Amino acid sequence: MAVTLSEPAAKHVANFIAKRGKGVGIRLGVKTSGCSGMAYKLEFADASEPEDLVFESHGVKVLVDPKSLPYLDGTELDYTREGLNEGFKFNNPNVKDACGCGESFNT
């Protein structure tokens, strides 16, 4: 079981943490939300919690809570730029369907 970052995502996170001046990595999880049932939670982590599962990609730690891992197992978090838009993209093999707005998914 693993959650990974692409090299561009890892560079973006590492640069942001360096600018913030603090942080141990990025926290990824899921919450019940949206029209399809689940939505991603993504935030910078200043500390790890005892129950966190910690994965490392390209020198950056990804922290995941145990309840979210079944929905995120195998996910790669990428950072893309398309024209004027840029942001994180979730490449999650567990997604069976997503809503039209792209905010939520189900497995």
Side-chain angles (χ1 to χ4, degrees):
M1 294 203 285
V3 177
T4 60
L5 298 174
S6 68
E7 191 171 347
K11 284 181 182 178
H12 182 76
V13 171
N15 288 339
F16 193 85
I17 289 172
K19 286 178 186 174
R20 283 180 80 218
K22 64 179 180 175
V24 297
I26 194 164
R27 183 177 307 281
L28 180 58
V30 295
K31 62 182 177 181
T32 303
S33 177
C35 49
S36 290
M38 306 293 282
Y40 295 107
K41 295 188 303 184
L42 181 64
E43 61 188 13
F44 290 93
D46 291 332
S48 63
E49 301 296 329
E51 68 274 5
D52 283 338
L53 300 161
V54 181
F55 304 96
E56 192 165 326
S57 287
H58 304 285
V60 175
K61 291 182 181 176
V62 181
L63 295 86
V64 179
D65 66 271
K67 290 182 182 179
S68 295
L69 187 60
Y71 303 102
L72 298 172
D73 186 30
T75 296
E76 179 192 55
L77 185 60
D78 193 11
Y79 191 80
T80 61
R81 291 184 180 174
E82 297 171 3
L84 298 176
N85 298 319
E86 62 181 287
F88 288 106
K89 180 180 177 185
F90 297 87
N91 298 314
N92 185 342
N94 303 303
V95 172
K96 301 278 190 272
D97 192 24
C99 68
C101 65
E103 293 296 317
S104 63
F105 66 96
N106 66 37
T107 57

